[in-house]
């Protein structure tokens, strides 16, 4: 079976669906609701007829505010069948209603959808968000018409989907993805997993996240393979349901915290009763990968036959459609230890040890990194310095990506933050280095960080600190300062101020959770560097921190001096 798809193959299943393969949706009572691809394709084409009757026309954007469910997929692929561009929006969770409406309205302003497909459950919040975005009256309750639509043709450069990058904080940024982008990226996923005719997928990932949407849902649907699909809340309530799916499915994907969560929460008595020997590929991505987490998961599941070579660390982002690199099939992840003071931007990285997972125990100490493999199908990666000059292998710099999987830019003038589209490729804003043919990723360079798969922007953290402490926004700056084994932030404060530290720490900790490291940098005037337009030079300050040349006293709250 070829792993490479042509752009037309991505939605060919809508006109040539299989009746012997399909998707199973987990119900809260533990049963599975099955729908074949033949059923889904017909329902999608009927949904397409309903959307076009409501005024949608080819190339229009249609937003979906719906939970993971069969009707959601009918609407999503109905948009494909009608020649529309679907865009998934995160459903409400624990966010306050005003905050959530602000987030969604920001997405709607940039997406400019002709319809917002939703359910009765979310109708009220959808209406509020549409009004806030100056798009009133565009909410559309999902439904189907009697007659299925004829699927129009599409070209490789036509838009297939619109996805947003911002998680739950920061200004949302829309990334338009073409059919060619999708075809190449899904083909990479199939190559990294050595996709075969009898492979199948299980996923609980949210469909508004690129890994959940493209890496698990679209990669499986375009292959017309069996899929076990859960809602995120179902995984959180019982991660054992996900593991039990892997007694039948062969491929899955999740952030590192999910593997750690499952190892901690699922009793050994349950695991020993399962057969996980058929689990071939376990993609791991969306945040820095701690090798100790992988080792813990292997220890918990080895009794059920899980093979550590199934672990497939990967690196990617929405701006590259999804995946950029992943490790080769059948090879345990490569683990390296960075020496003390061994990470300086633009310089050779000092490594003191390396081995493949399982060859040695992973000590519970900082300094370890996991290799994320290499690219496929013409995707190219390089490591560059601050001026964009490519650095030799083994040097720490910014990761740059080029190739057909890289999208064209952001939609409707959304600010790019640390990630920039340049003539030479995508400057990702992530720091990393190449070693033994693999990419090792340190994390974001100054402007954002990943916390349990969620992007957190430093501007939001700064606003929280200013509100909690009364510090002047011109005298304090937050930068992302990742460690080798976890995320971290550094709060820089200029001048002499008193009584703010406890409040600042609590403001940061409440938004970051328990895992990321929090430090303060205290200094005089000039500590915070700015561009000529007055913006903080976070990337440059991060480089000074890495080089040990930041003119400040570093304090870690809660740690004795």
């Amino acid at each position: 079976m070829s792993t490479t798809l042509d752009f037309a193959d991505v939605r060919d299943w809508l006109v040539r669906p299989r009746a012997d393969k399909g998707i199973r949706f987990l119900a809260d009572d533990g049963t599975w609701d099955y729908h074949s691809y033949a059923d889904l394709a017909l329902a999608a084409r009927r949904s397409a007829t309903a959307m076009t009757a409501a005024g949608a026309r080819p190339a229009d954007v249609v937003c979906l505010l719906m939970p993971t469910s069969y009707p959601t997929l009918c609407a999503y692929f109905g948009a494909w069948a009608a020649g529309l561009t679907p865009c998934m929006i995160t459903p409400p969770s624990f966010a306050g209603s005003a905050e959530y409406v602000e987030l969604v309205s920001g997405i709607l302003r940039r997406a400019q959808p002709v319809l917002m497909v939703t359910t009765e459950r979310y109708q009220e919040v959808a209406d509020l968000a549409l009004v806030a975005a100056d798009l009133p009256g565009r909410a559309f309750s999902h439904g189907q018409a009697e007659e299925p639509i004829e699927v129009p043709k599409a070209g490789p450069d036509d838009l297939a989907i619109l996805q947003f990058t911002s998680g739950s904080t920061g200004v949302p940024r829309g990334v338009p993805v073409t059919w060619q982008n999708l075809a190449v990226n899904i083909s990479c996923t199939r190559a990294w997993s050595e996709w075969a005719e009898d492979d199948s997928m299980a996923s609980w990932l949210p469909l508004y996240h690129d890994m959940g949407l493209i890496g698990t849902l679209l990669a499986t649907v375009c292959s017309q393979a069996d899929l076990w699909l859960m809602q995120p809340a179902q995984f959180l309530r019982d991660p054992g349901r996900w593991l039990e799916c892997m007694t039948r499915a062969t491929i899955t994907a999740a952030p590192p915290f999910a593997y750690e969560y499952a190892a901690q929460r699922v009793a050994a008595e349950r695991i020993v009763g399962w057969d996980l020997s058929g689990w071939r590929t376990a993609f791991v991505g969306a945040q820095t990968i701690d090798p100790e987490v992988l080792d813990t998961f292997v220890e918990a599941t080895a009794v059920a036959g899980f093979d550590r070579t199934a672990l497939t660390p990967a690196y990617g982002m929405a701006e590259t459609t999804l995946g950029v690199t992943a490790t080769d099939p059948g090879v345990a992840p490569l683990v390296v230890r960075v020496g003390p003071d061994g990470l300086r931007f633009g310089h050779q990285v000092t490594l003191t040890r390396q081995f493949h997972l399982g060859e040695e125990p992973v000590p519970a100490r900082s300094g370890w990194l996991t290799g994320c493999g290499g690219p496929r199908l013409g995707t190219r990666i390089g490591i560059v310095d601050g001026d964009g000059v490519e650095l030799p292998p083994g040097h720490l710099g910014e990761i740059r990506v080029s190739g057909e999987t890289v999208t064209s830019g952001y939609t409707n003038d959304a600010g790019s933050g640390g990630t920039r589209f340049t003539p030479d490729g995508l400057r990702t804003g992530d720091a990393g280095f190449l070693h033994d043919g693999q990419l090792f990723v340190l994390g974001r360079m100054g402007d954002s960080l990943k916390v349990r798969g969620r992007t957190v922007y430093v501007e939001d953290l700064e606003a929280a600190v200013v509100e909690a402490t009364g510090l002047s926004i011109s005298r304090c700056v937050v930068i992302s300062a990742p460690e080798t084994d976890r995320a971290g932030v550094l709060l820089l404060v200029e001048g002499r101020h008193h009584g703010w530290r406890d409040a600042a720490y609590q403001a940061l900790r409440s938004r970051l959770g328990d895992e990321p490291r929090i430090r303060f940098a205290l200094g005089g005037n000039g500590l915070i560097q700015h561009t000529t337009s007055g913006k903080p030079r976070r990337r440059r300050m991060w480089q000074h921190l890495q080089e040990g040349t930041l003119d400040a006293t570093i304090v870690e709250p809660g740690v004795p001096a």
Side-chain angles (χ1 to χ4, degrees), residues 535-546:
K535 297 178 180 178
R537 299 186 66 188
R538 304 180 205 276
R539 195 174 300 263
R540 184 58 183 155
M541 289 184 280
W542 177 84
Q543 292 176 14
H544 281 313
L545 177 67
Q546 295 298 110

Side-chain angles (χ1 to χ4, degrees), residues 541-555:
M541 289 184 280
W542 177 84
Q543 292 176 14
H544 281 313
L545 177 67
Q546 295 298 110
E547 295 165 358
T549 57
L550 191 67
D551 187 15
T553 301
I554 307 296
V555 176

